[in-house]
Amino acid sequence: MADATPPASRFHWITRHIPTRDTVHQYRLLRPFASHLAHPSLWRMTRRSVPRGVAIGLGVAVIIPFMHTVIAALVAIPARANVAIAAIFTLVVNPLTIPPLYYAAYRIGSWELHHDAAIANPADVERFSSELSRLLFWIHQASGSIAVGVLTIAAALALFGYFAASFVWRFWSRSRWRQRRINSCARP
């Protein structure tokens, strides 16, 4: 059976938690930027601001795994991107997606840096006795590959998000114009 809830109420939780142009002064972290965030062009849904917001949200979310919603909103200001869209698209990176994201970043970074061998030399690992020092050694050995992979994934997702949002916006806009034309021809 089809879902009977109207589309507006499906996103009620998101719209309740994302600040609006009128409520941005209520958030303590955003209060210093409230005068900039109150500008109406940052909240309009236009063919340029929505793809920019998608790209910023995806890029910032992958590069910065914590407080990415606030940072994406702040980056959206000088880019003239839609602040709400940028904030919503940071939700792509969450505790469920971080482990596969960082594993993929390690694999991509290793491929880009031509690290075909194991992460570390097993003889070097045995020199360290405690588990914490072993963990820190593994992180140190893999950090370059992960950093390169994260930057690659962020750039690729931002580009993909920008062009996908532009395509969806263009398709949606054309279908609205087509529907208006049909409705105007059908009127007597």
Side-chain angles (χ1 to χ4, degrees):
M1 185 169 184
D3 191 9
T5 59
S9 67
R10 289 183 192 158
F11 300 107
H12 181 67
W13 183 86
I14 292 173
T15 58
R16 197 174 65 221
H17 287 86
I18 299 290
T20 63
R21 183 170 57 119
D22 301 326
T23 63
V24 78
H25 65 280
Q26 295 174 355
Y27 294 89
R28 184 172 49 102
L29 290 173
L30 297 177
R31 227 177 264 145
F33 308 100
S35 62
H36 299 292
L37 285 170
H39 198 275
S41 68
L42 298 175
W43 300 92
R44 288 190 188 126
M45 302 283 265
T46 65
R47 67 181 175 97
R48 290 188 180 105
S49 68
V50 170
R52 286 179 194 162
V54 170
I56 288 171
L58 291 174
V60 167
V62 172
I63 293 174
I64 304 168
F66 56 92
M67 283 189 56
H68 49 258
T69 305
V70 174
I71 294 169
L74 295 177
V75 171
I77 295 170
R80 296 280 186 211
N82 189 299
V83 174
I85 297 293
I88 287 171
F89 272 88
T90 59
L91 300 176
V92 169
V93 175
N94 55 53
L96 296 175
T97 60
I98 285 177
L101 175 78
Y102 276 86
Y103 179 73
Y106 169 72
R107 299 297 289 181
I108 290 170
S110 294
W111 176 77
E112 287 179 334
L113 295 175
H114 303 293
H115 288 175
D116 297 332
I119 293 177
N121 185 0
D124 291 338
V125 174
E126 291 302 319
R127 286 189 304 164
F128 296 99
S129 60
S130 73
E131 289 298 318
L132 179 61
S133 61
R134 259 191 209 144
L135 177 67
L136 292 175
F137 180 78
W138 285 100
I139 289 172
H140 172 71
Q141 291 294 322
S143 62
S145 298
I146 291 173
V148 169
V150 162
L151 290 175
T152 303
I153 290 173
L157 268 179
L159 281 173
F160 175 77
Y162 182 85
F163 289 118
S166 295
F167 175 76
V168 168
W169 186 273
R170 186 171 290 134
F171 178 75
W172 177 71
S173 178
R174 285 182 184 165
S175 68
R176 283 188 50 202
W177 277 105
R178 196 174 300 126
Q179 189 62 38
R180 283 183 192 163
R181 198 171 339 149
I182 291 170
N183 289 345
S184 69
C185 290
R187 284 190 219 153

